[in-house]
Amino acid sequence: QGSLVCVGPGMVLGAHMSERCRNHISQADVVFSSCHPVIEQWISTMNPDVRSLQGLYGKDKDRGQTYAEMQAALIQAVRDGCRVVGVFYGHPGVFAQVPHAAIQQAREEGFEAWMEPGISADACLYADMGIDPGAFGCQSFETSQFMFYKRAIDPTAYLILWQLGHAGDLSMTPRQTGPEQRTVLMNMLLEYYAPDHNIAIYESPFLPTQRPKIDWFPLQELPDADVSLISTLVVPPGKKLTPNHAIVKQLKSISGA
Ligand code: SAM
């Protein structure tokens, strides 16, 4: 009977993989992987049948099509009766459509399917940048979705924008967008933050010998920022919390204070 488990090796080679993740990989009949090439090489030492899904991306190919093909590859192997492991870098369920969709489809077809957590880019970001998402609250959006739909930001909390490299990409290809799209994003953010509000681009390393990249600059310089496909944008709170006196009064009357 086939089964599917989606696991994440974390971000840093040799440093983040859980015992469970490693066991699943070594015991699988077939392992499909969508990770940094260096991580894929490492995973290949744990199982004789590791197949990279990265070749399914194409320069002008719709990313939705690539994701559908990845899902189909996982599901076909499950239907063939294999114990299938899908390895997706970081946490397999964080800003990753294929693992969620494949698990749902496998379950609908009557197979056992589940996910094991991994260390995601934002988990590294909190550690490397010294940010506690509980200090002021923290909002996470996929950058293009944030741009394509009318969303409200709470500027008293942190804002994390994922996939900055694809900001405003209407083509849905793996290509990066540029300063024009980031100017549109900057203007959206200027509705909430001052032009000189300091924001940062964060990039976690893949190798234990590398340092994280943390570039701080004022919001008005976002169009010209040094952005890559692994950049995550961090916008600290731009406004102070406003006390809710009415609610505190209500709570005081309940507690008799
Ligand atoms: N599943 C991944 C995780 O657990 O972090 C996220 C995958 S998502 C498709 C890709 C986005 O994650 C990037 O555009 C970026 O926002 C973020 N990301 C990926 N690698 C990163 C890195 N090395 N450092 C910082 N952010 C990264």
PDB file of all heavy atoms in Angstrom, residues 177-189:
ATOM      1  N   THR A 177      11.160  39.651 -10.804  1.00  0.00           N
ATOM      2  CA  THR A 177      10.671  40.958 -11.236  1.00  0.00           C
ATOM      3  C   THR A 177      11.693  42.017 -10.803  1.00  0.00           C
ATOM      4  O   THR A 177      12.702  41.687 -10.182  1.00  0.00           O
ATOM      5  CB  THR A 177       9.284  41.246 -10.643  1.00  0.00           C
ATOM      6  OG1 THR A 177       9.337  41.038  -9.234  1.00  0.00           O
ATOM      7  CG2 THR A 177       8.222  40.360 -11.256  1.00  0.00           C
ATOM      8  N   GLY A 178      11.423  43.288 -11.117  1.00  0.00           N
ATOM      9  CA  GLY A 178      12.477  44.299 -10.919  1.00  0.00           C
ATOM     10  C   GLY A 178      12.015  45.563 -10.216  1.00  0.00           C
ATOM     11  O   GLY A 178      10.988  45.583  -9.538  1.00  0.00           O
ATOM     12  N   PRO A 179      12.789  46.657 -10.398  1.00  0.00           N
ATOM     13  CA  PRO A 179      12.524  47.918  -9.700  1.00  0.00           C
ATOM     14  C   PRO A 179      11.116  48.487  -9.959  1.00  0.00           C
ATOM     15  O   PRO A 179      10.528  49.091  -9.069  1.00  0.00           O
ATOM     16  CB  PRO A 179      13.587  48.869 -10.254  1.00  0.00           C
ATOM     17  CG  PRO A 179      14.663  47.981 -10.777  1.00  0.00           C
ATOM     18  CD  PRO A 179      14.013  46.717 -11.211  1.00  0.00           C
ATOM     19  N   GLU A 180      10.570  48.271 -11.177  1.00  0.00           N
ATOM     20  CA  GLU A 180       9.238  48.848 -11.468  1.00  0.00           C
ATOM     21  C   GLU A 180       8.187  48.243 -10.553  1.00  0.00           C
ATOM     22  O   GLU A 180       7.367  48.947  -9.952  1.00  0.00           O
ATOM     23  CB  GLU A 180       8.823  48.589 -12.933  1.00  0.00           C
ATOM     24  CG  GLU A 180       9.615  49.354 -13.971  1.00  0.00           C
ATOM     25  CD  GLU A 180      10.818  48.563 -14.457  1.00  0.00           C
ATOM     26  OE1 GLU A 180      11.177  47.547 -13.822  1.00  0.00           O
ATOM     27  OE2 GLU A 180      11.417  48.971 -15.462  1.00  0.00           O
ATOM     28  N   GLN A 181       8.211  46.910 -10.440  1.00  0.00           N
ATOM     29  CA  GLN A 181       7.220  46.241  -9.576  1.00  0.00           C
ATOM     30  C   GLN A 181       7.451  46.609  -8.116  1.00  0.00           C
ATOM     31  O   GLN A 181       6.510  46.804  -7.354  1.00  0.00           O
ATOM     32  CB  GLN A 181       7.302  44.720  -9.742  1.00  0.00           C
ATOM     33  CG  GLN A 181       6.730  44.191 -11.045  1.00  0.00           C
ATOM     34  CD  GLN A 181       7.734  44.214 -12.181  1.00  0.00           C
ATOM     35  OE1 GLN A 181       8.849  44.729 -12.065  1.00  0.00           O
ATOM     36  NE2 GLN A 181       7.328  43.667 -13.318  1.00  0.00           N
ATOM     37  N   ARG A 182       8.755  46.751  -7.740  1.00  0.00           N
ATOM     38  CA  ARG A 182       9.032  47.100  -6.328  1.00  0.00           C
ATOM     39  C   ARG A 182       8.652  48.556  -6.031  1.00  0.00           C
ATOM     40  O   ARG A 182       8.373  48.895  -4.893  1.00  0.00           O
ATOM     41  CB  ARG A 182      10.504  46.827  -5.991  1.00  0.00           C
ATOM     42  CG  ARG A 182      10.788  45.340  -5.811  1.00  0.00           C
ATOM     43  CD  ARG A 182      12.079  45.114  -5.057  1.00  0.00           C
ATOM     44  NE  ARG A 182      13.242  45.624  -5.733  1.00  0.00           N
ATOM     45  CZ  ARG A 182      13.865  44.999  -6.741  1.00  0.00           C
ATOM     46  NH1 ARG A 182      13.432  43.827  -7.153  1.00  0.00           N
ATOM     47  NH2 ARG A 182      14.925  45.527  -7.303  1.00  0.00           N
ATOM     48  N   THR A 183       8.614  49.401  -7.074  1.00  0.00           N
ATOM     49  CA  THR A 183       8.138  50.779  -6.866  1.00  0.00           C
ATOM     50  C   THR A 183       6.645  50.757  -6.522  1.00  0.00           C
ATOM     51  O   THR A 183       6.183  51.486  -5.634  1.00  0.00           O
ATOM     52  CB  THR A 183       8.371  51.624  -8.139  1.00  0.00           C
ATOM     53  OG1 THR A 183       9.765  51.600  -8.424  1.00  0.00           O
ATOM     54  CG2 THR A 183       7.918  53.060  -7.949  1.00  0.00           C
ATOM     55  N   VAL A 184       5.904  49.898  -7.210  1.00  0.00           N
ATOM     56  CA  VAL A 184       4.467  49.775  -6.905  1.00  0.00           C
ATOM     57  C   VAL A 184       4.293  49.288  -5.460  1.00  0.00           C
ATOM     58  O   VAL A 184       3.479  49.827  -4.698  1.00  0.00           O
ATOM     59  CB  VAL A 184       3.782  48.788  -7.894  1.00  0.00           C
ATOM     60  CG1 VAL A 184       2.317  48.577  -7.521  1.00  0.00           C
ATOM     61  CG2 VAL A 184       3.910  49.280  -9.326  1.00  0.00           C
ATOM     62  N   LEU A 185       5.102  48.299  -5.086  1.00  0.00           N
ATOM     63  CA  LEU A 185       5.028  47.771  -3.714  1.00  0.00           C
ATOM     64  C   LEU A 185       5.392  48.868  -2.704  1.00  0.00           C
ATOM     65  O   LEU A 185       4.711  49.049  -1.687  1.00  0.00           O
ATOM     66  CB  LEU A 185       5.980  46.574  -3.570  1.00  0.00           C
ATOM     67  CG  LEU A 185       6.121  45.987  -2.170  1.00  0.00           C
ATOM     68  CD1 LEU A 185       4.796  45.409  -1.676  1.00  0.00           C
ATOM     69  CD2 LEU A 185       7.198  44.894  -2.143  1.00  0.00           C
ATOM     70  N   MET A 186       6.457  49.624  -3.012  1.00  0.00           N
ATOM     71  CA  MET A 186       6.884  50.701  -2.098  1.00  0.00           C
ATOM     72  C   MET A 186       5.735  51.695  -1.899  1.00  0.00           C
ATOM     73  O   MET A 186       5.432  52.087  -0.765  1.00  0.00           O
ATOM     74  CB  MET A 186       8.102  51.429  -2.680  1.00  0.00           C
ATOM     75  CG  MET A 186       8.528  52.617  -1.858  1.00  0.00           C
ATOM     76  SD  MET A 186       9.809  53.573  -2.676  1.00  0.00           S
ATOM     77  CE  MET A 186       8.878  54.336  -4.006  1.00  0.00           C
ATOM     78  N   ASN A 187       5.062  52.060  -2.994  1.00  0.00           N
ATOM     79  CA  ASN A 187       3.967  53.033  -2.867  1.00  0.00           C
ATOM     80  C   ASN A 187       2.829  52.479  -2.017  1.00  0.00           C
ATOM     81  O   ASN A 187       2.190  53.217  -1.269  1.00  0.00           O
ATOM     82  CB  ASN A 187       3.460  53.444  -4.256  1.00  0.00           C
ATOM     83  CG  ASN A 187       4.476  54.338  -4.961  1.00  0.00           C
ATOM     84  OD1 ASN A 187       5.248  55.025  -4.296  1.00  0.00           O
ATOM     85  ND2 ASN A 187       4.491  54.299  -6.285  1.00  0.00           N
ATOM     86  N   MET A 188       2.602  51.166  -2.108  1.00  0.00           N
ATOM     87  CA  MET A 188       1.566  50.562  -1.250  1.00  0.00           C
ATOM     88  C   MET A 188       1.978  50.667   0.217  1.00  0.00           C
ATOM     89  O   MET A 188       1.175  50.972   1.095  1.00  0.00           O
ATOM     90  CB  MET A 188       1.363  49.088  -1.612  1.00  0.00           C
ATOM     91  CG  MET A 188       0.750  48.866  -2.977  1.00  0.00           C
ATOM     92  SD  MET A 188       0.669  47.103  -3.377  1.00  0.00           S
ATOM     93  CE  MET A 188      -0.758  46.593  -2.400  1.00  0.00           C
ATOM     94  N   LEU A 189       3.268  50.427   0.486  1.00  0.00           N
ATOM     95  CA  LEU A 189       3.753  50.450   1.876  1.00  0.00           C
ATOM     96  C   LEU A 189       3.814  51.877   2.417  1.00  0.00           C
ATOM     97  O   LEU A 189       3.652  52.108   3.623  1.00  0.00           O
ATOM     98  CB  LEU A 189       5.119  49.766   1.971  1.00  0.00           C
ATOM     99  CG  LEU A 189       5.119  48.268   1.653  1.00  0.00           C
ATOM    100  CD1 LEU A 189       6.539  47.703   1.653  1.00  0.00           C
ATOM    101  CD2 LEU A 189       4.263  47.491   2.655  1.00  0.00           C
TER     102      LEU A 189
END
